[in-house]
Amino acid sequence: MTNAETNTAATVAEQGAHVAPEKGSPKKQASQRKGAPKGQKAAKGQKAAKGEKAKAAPKQEVKAEKKSAKREPAKATTPRADSKGAKILAMIERTKGATLVEIMKVTDWQAHSVRGFLSTAAKKRGLKIESTKTESGDRLYKIAG
């Protein structure tokens, strides 16, 4: 016998060498690492790839409904009468409007907080808020009418 013939897998296994089994136990499988890439998903209307579960159609419809709901403007709610938001809206509804400094004094907010509130309030309530600069350089906010 030649050396190549004697070193086959069968003869090595007979000698007591450690050879991995061909198929692992179904109970003990390696788990996927955190952040590891997942398999490719099947395109819409196609069967899922081997080993992947098919998604149920009702879930997809619910997701579509949620996405369309996000795009609709939020319902306008009136702020409580004693809240800072109500005070700001009352100030900018005046005919002369309100300056940024006036609003900051009433609410004890910083300028970026006031600007953020006005931006959000305009979107939620569907208001058109005009922002202009006075001759002294102060920012003036009022509701366009």
PDB file of all heavy atoms in Angstrom, residues 65-84:
ATOM      1  N   GLU A  65     -51.292  50.892   6.622  1.00  0.00           N
ATOM      2  CA  GLU A  65     -52.233  51.822   7.246  1.00  0.00           C
ATOM      3  C   GLU A  65     -51.512  52.742   8.216  1.00  0.00           C
ATOM      4  O   GLU A  65     -51.804  53.926   8.297  1.00  0.00           O
ATOM      5  CB  GLU A  65     -53.328  51.050   7.988  1.00  0.00           C
ATOM      6  CG  GLU A  65     -54.287  50.329   7.062  1.00  0.00           C
ATOM      7  CD  GLU A  65     -55.260  49.438   7.820  1.00  0.00           C
ATOM      8  OE1 GLU A  65     -55.322  49.544   9.059  1.00  0.00           O
ATOM      9  OE2 GLU A  65     -55.956  48.656   7.166  1.00  0.00           O
ATOM     10  N   LYS A  66     -50.553  52.209   8.970  1.00  0.00           N
ATOM     11  CA  LYS A  66     -49.808  53.024   9.925  1.00  0.00           C
ATOM     12  C   LYS A  66     -48.986  54.083   9.212  1.00  0.00           C
ATOM     13  O   LYS A  66     -48.906  55.213   9.656  1.00  0.00           O
ATOM     14  CB  LYS A  66     -48.894  52.153  10.783  1.00  0.00           C
ATOM     15  CG  LYS A  66     -49.621  51.347  11.821  1.00  0.00           C
ATOM     16  CD  LYS A  66     -48.650  50.559  12.663  1.00  0.00           C
ATOM     17  CE  LYS A  66     -49.360  49.712  13.700  1.00  0.00           C
ATOM     18  NZ  LYS A  66     -48.409  48.929  14.488  1.00  0.00           N
ATOM     19  N   LYS A  67     -48.367  53.726   8.092  1.00  0.00           N
ATOM     20  CA  LYS A  67     -47.558  54.690   7.357  1.00  0.00           C
ATOM     21  C   LYS A  67     -48.410  55.831   6.831  1.00  0.00           C
ATOM     22  O   LYS A  67     -48.026  56.982   6.892  1.00  0.00           O
ATOM     23  CB  LYS A  67     -46.832  54.005   6.193  1.00  0.00           C
ATOM     24  CG  LYS A  67     -45.661  53.163   6.640  1.00  0.00           C
ATOM     25  CD  LYS A  67     -44.954  52.568   5.466  1.00  0.00           C
ATOM     26  CE  LYS A  67     -43.805  51.676   5.910  1.00  0.00           C
ATOM     27  NZ  LYS A  67     -43.125  51.065   4.769  1.00  0.00           N
ATOM     28  N   SER A  68     -49.583  55.513   6.304  1.00  0.00           N
ATOM     29  CA  SER A  68     -50.437  56.570   5.774  1.00  0.00           C
ATOM     30  C   SER A  68     -50.963  57.453   6.904  1.00  0.00           C
ATOM     31  O   SER A  68     -51.188  58.637   6.719  1.00  0.00           O
ATOM     32  CB  SER A  68     -51.595  55.971   4.971  1.00  0.00           C
ATOM     33  OG  SER A  68     -52.414  55.199   5.827  1.00  0.00           O
ATOM     34  N   ALA A  69     -51.151  56.886   8.083  1.00  0.00           N
ATOM     35  CA  ALA A  69     -51.630  57.670   9.219  1.00  0.00           C
ATOM     36  C   ALA A  69     -50.577  58.663   9.679  1.00  0.00           C
ATOM     37  O   ALA A  69     -50.900  59.746  10.155  1.00  0.00           O
ATOM     38  CB  ALA A  69     -52.020  56.749  10.364  1.00  0.00           C
ATOM     39  N   LYS A  70     -49.316  58.320   9.543  1.00  0.00           N
ATOM     40  CA  LYS A  70     -48.251  59.214   9.973  1.00  0.00           C
ATOM     41  C   LYS A  70     -48.178  60.455   9.084  1.00  0.00           C
ATOM     42  O   LYS A  70     -47.774  61.503   9.521  1.00  0.00           O
ATOM     43  CB  LYS A  70     -46.907  58.491   9.951  1.00  0.00           C
ATOM     44  CG  LYS A  70     -46.744  57.483  11.054  1.00  0.00           C
ATOM     45  CD  LYS A  70     -45.383  56.849  11.000  1.00  0.00           C
ATOM     46  CE  LYS A  70     -45.228  55.803  12.077  1.00  0.00           C
ATOM     47  NZ  LYS A  70     -43.936  55.130  12.004  1.00  0.00           N
ATOM     48  N   ARG A  71     -48.536  60.335   7.858  1.00  0.00           N
ATOM     49  CA  ARG A  71     -48.414  61.451   6.918  1.00  0.00           C
ATOM     50  C   ARG A  71     -49.529  62.480   7.074  1.00  0.00           C
ATOM     51  O   ARG A  71     -49.402  63.600   6.650  1.00  0.00           O
ATOM     52  CB  ARG A  71     -48.392  60.916   5.492  1.00  0.00           C
ATOM     53  CG  ARG A  71     -47.121  60.131   5.224  1.00  0.00           C
ATOM     54  CD  ARG A  71     -47.017  59.703   3.808  1.00  0.00           C
ATOM     55  NE  ARG A  71     -45.852  58.846   3.646  1.00  0.00           N
ATOM     56  CZ  ARG A  71     -45.792  57.821   2.848  1.00  0.00           C
ATOM     57  NH1 ARG A  71     -46.825  57.498   2.111  1.00  0.00           N
ATOM     58  NH2 ARG A  71     -44.710  57.100   2.761  1.00  0.00           N
ATOM     59  N   GLU A  72     -50.627  62.066   7.683  1.00  0.00           N
ATOM     60  CA  GLU A  72     -51.732  63.002   7.887  1.00  0.00           C
ATOM     61  C   GLU A  72     -51.366  63.959   9.013  1.00  0.00           C
ATOM     62  O   GLU A  72     -50.687  63.590   9.953  1.00  0.00           O
ATOM     63  CB  GLU A  72     -53.001  62.240   8.263  1.00  0.00           C
ATOM     64  CG  GLU A  72     -53.532  61.368   7.134  1.00  0.00           C
ATOM     65  CD  GLU A  72     -54.727  60.553   7.567  1.00  0.00           C
ATOM     66  OE1 GLU A  72     -55.263  60.796   8.671  1.00  0.00           O
ATOM     67  OE2 GLU A  72     -55.123  59.663   6.809  1.00  0.00           O
ATOM     68  N   PRO A  73     -51.810  65.232   8.929  1.00  0.00           N
ATOM     69  CA  PRO A  73     -51.491  66.172  10.001  1.00  0.00           C
ATOM     70  C   PRO A  73     -52.155  65.753  11.309  1.00  0.00           C
ATOM     71  O   PRO A  73     -53.229  65.163  11.327  1.00  0.00           O
ATOM     72  CB  PRO A  73     -52.056  67.510   9.512  1.00  0.00           C
ATOM     73  CG  PRO A  73     -52.984  67.172   8.406  1.00  0.00           C
ATOM     74  CD  PRO A  73     -52.570  65.837   7.859  1.00  0.00           C
ATOM     75  N   ALA A  74     -51.488  66.064  12.395  1.00  0.00           N
ATOM     76  CA  ALA A  74     -52.005  65.702  13.714  1.00  0.00           C
ATOM     77  C   ALA A  74     -53.258  66.512  14.026  1.00  0.00           C
ATOM     78  O   ALA A  74     -53.446  67.618  13.531  1.00  0.00           O
ATOM     79  CB  ALA A  74     -50.935  65.953  14.770  1.00  0.00           C
ATOM     80  N   LYS A  75     -54.111  65.934  14.864  1.00  0.00           N
ATOM     81  CA  LYS A  75     -55.327  66.638  15.247  1.00  0.00           C
ATOM     82  C   LYS A  75     -54.966  67.831  16.123  1.00  0.00           C
ATOM     83  O   LYS A  75     -54.116  67.739  17.003  1.00  0.00           O
ATOM     84  CB  LYS A  75     -56.255  65.698  16.019  1.00  0.00           C
ATOM     85  CG  LYS A  75     -56.840  64.602  15.166  1.00  0.00           C
ATOM     86  CD  LYS A  75     -57.786  63.753  15.982  1.00  0.00           C
ATOM     87  CE  LYS A  75     -58.373  62.646  15.131  1.00  0.00           C
ATOM     88  NZ  LYS A  75     -59.283  61.808  15.909  1.00  0.00           N
ATOM     89  N   ALA A  76     -55.606  68.946  15.858  1.00  0.00           N
ATOM     90  CA  ALA A  76     -55.334  70.163  16.629  1.00  0.00           C
ATOM     91  C   ALA A  76     -56.021  70.065  17.981  1.00  0.00           C
ATOM     92  O   ALA A  76     -57.221  69.822  18.074  1.00  0.00           O
ATOM     93  CB  ALA A  76     -55.837  71.388  15.879  1.00  0.00           C
ATOM     94  N   THR A  77     -55.238  70.230  19.016  1.00  0.00           N
ATOM     95  CA  THR A  77     -55.789  70.246  20.362  1.00  0.00           C
ATOM     96  C   THR A  77     -55.509  71.621  20.947  1.00  0.00           C
ATOM     97  O   THR A  77     -54.467  72.215  20.693  1.00  0.00           O
ATOM     98  CB  THR A  77     -55.141  69.177  21.252  1.00  0.00           C
ATOM     99  OG1 THR A  77     -53.730  69.391  21.272  1.00  0.00           O
ATOM    100  CG2 THR A  77     -55.430  67.783  20.738  1.00  0.00           C
ATOM    101  N   THR A  78     -56.447  72.112  21.694  1.00  0.00           N
ATOM    102  CA  THR A  78     -56.245  73.423  22.302  1.00  0.00           C
ATOM    103  C   THR A  78     -55.484  73.248  23.595  1.00  0.00           C
ATOM    104  O   THR A  78     -55.783  72.345  24.382  1.00  0.00           O
ATOM    105  CB  THR A  78     -57.601  74.111  22.590  1.00  0.00           C
ATOM    106  OG1 THR A  78     -58.370  73.245  23.408  1.00  0.00           O
ATOM    107  CG2 THR A  78     -58.346  74.407  21.308  1.00  0.00           C
ATOM    108  N   PRO A  79     -54.495  74.094  23.829  1.00  0.00           N
ATOM    109  CA  PRO A  79     -53.737  73.974  25.074  1.00  0.00           C
ATOM    110  C   PRO A  79     -54.576  74.418  26.255  1.00  0.00           C
ATOM    111  O   PRO A  79     -55.554  75.163  26.109  1.00  0.00           O
ATOM    112  CB  PRO A  79     -52.543  74.890  24.855  1.00  0.00           C
ATOM    113  CG  PRO A  79     -52.961  75.845  23.807  1.00  0.00           C
ATOM    114  CD  PRO A  79     -53.973  75.140  22.959  1.00  0.00           C
ATOM    115  N   ARG A  80     -54.215  73.972  27.440  1.00  0.00           N
ATOM    116  CA  ARG A  80     -54.921  74.391  28.650  1.00  0.00           C
ATOM    117  C   ARG A  80     -54.812  75.909  28.791  1.00  0.00           C
ATOM    118  O   ARG A  80     -53.827  76.516  28.372  1.00  0.00           O
ATOM    119  CB  ARG A  80     -54.316  73.723  29.875  1.00  0.00           C
ATOM    120  CG  ARG A  80     -54.574  72.226  29.900  1.00  0.00           C
ATOM    121  CD  ARG A  80     -53.832  71.607  31.028  1.00  0.00           C
ATOM    122  NE  ARG A  80     -52.407  71.896  30.803  1.00  0.00           N
ATOM    123  CZ  ARG A  80     -51.422  71.567  31.626  1.00  0.00           C
ATOM    124  NH1 ARG A  80     -51.695  70.936  32.724  1.00  0.00           N
ATOM    125  NH2 ARG A  80     -50.174  71.864  31.349  1.00  0.00           N
ATOM    126  N   ALA A  81     -55.799  76.519  29.382  1.00  0.00           N
ATOM    127  CA  ALA A  81     -55.870  77.985  29.472  1.00  0.00           C
ATOM    128  C   ALA A  81     -54.694  78.585  30.236  1.00  0.00           C
ATOM    129  O   ALA A  81     -54.232  79.674  29.911  1.00  0.00           O
ATOM    130  CB  ALA A  81     -57.178  78.401  30.122  1.00  0.00           C
ATOM    131  N   ASP A  82     -54.196  77.898  31.243  1.00  0.00           N
ATOM    132  CA  ASP A  82     -53.131  78.453  32.064  1.00  0.00           C
ATOM    133  C   ASP A  82     -51.725  78.006  31.632  1.00  0.00           C
ATOM    134  O   ASP A  82     -50.751  78.310  32.302  1.00  0.00           O
ATOM    135  CB  ASP A  82     -53.362  78.081  33.532  1.00  0.00           C
ATOM    136  CG  ASP A  82     -53.395  76.580  33.742  1.00  0.00           C
ATOM    137  OD1 ASP A  82     -53.663  75.844  32.771  1.00  0.00           O
ATOM    138  OD2 ASP A  82     -53.126  76.139  34.879  1.00  0.00           O
ATOM    139  N   SER A  83     -51.615  77.309  30.506  1.00  0.00           N
ATOM    140  CA  SER A  83     -50.321  76.786  30.088  1.00  0.00           C
ATOM    141  C   SER A  83     -49.494  77.846  29.356  1.00  0.00           C
ATOM    142  O   SER A  83     -50.008  78.856  28.884  1.00  0.00           O
ATOM    143  CB  SER A  83     -50.502  75.576  29.175  1.00  0.00           C
ATOM    144  OG  SER A  83     -51.066  75.979  27.951  1.00  0.00           O
ATOM    145  N   LYS A  84     -48.212  77.576  29.267  1.00  0.00           N
ATOM    146  CA  LYS A  84     -47.322  78.498  28.564  1.00  0.00           C
ATOM    147  C   LYS A  84     -47.651  78.545  27.078  1.00  0.00           C
ATOM    148  O   LYS A  84     -47.563  79.594  26.440  1.00  0.00           O
ATOM    149  CB  LYS A  84     -45.870  78.069  28.769  1.00  0.00           C
ATOM    150  CG  LYS A  84     -45.397  78.239  30.195  1.00  0.00           C
ATOM    151  CD  LYS A  84     -43.965  77.784  30.358  1.00  0.00           C
ATOM    152  CE  LYS A  84     -43.523  77.953  31.799  1.00  0.00           C
ATOM    153  NZ  LYS A  84     -42.128  77.536  32.005  1.00  0.00           N
TER     154      LYS A  84
END
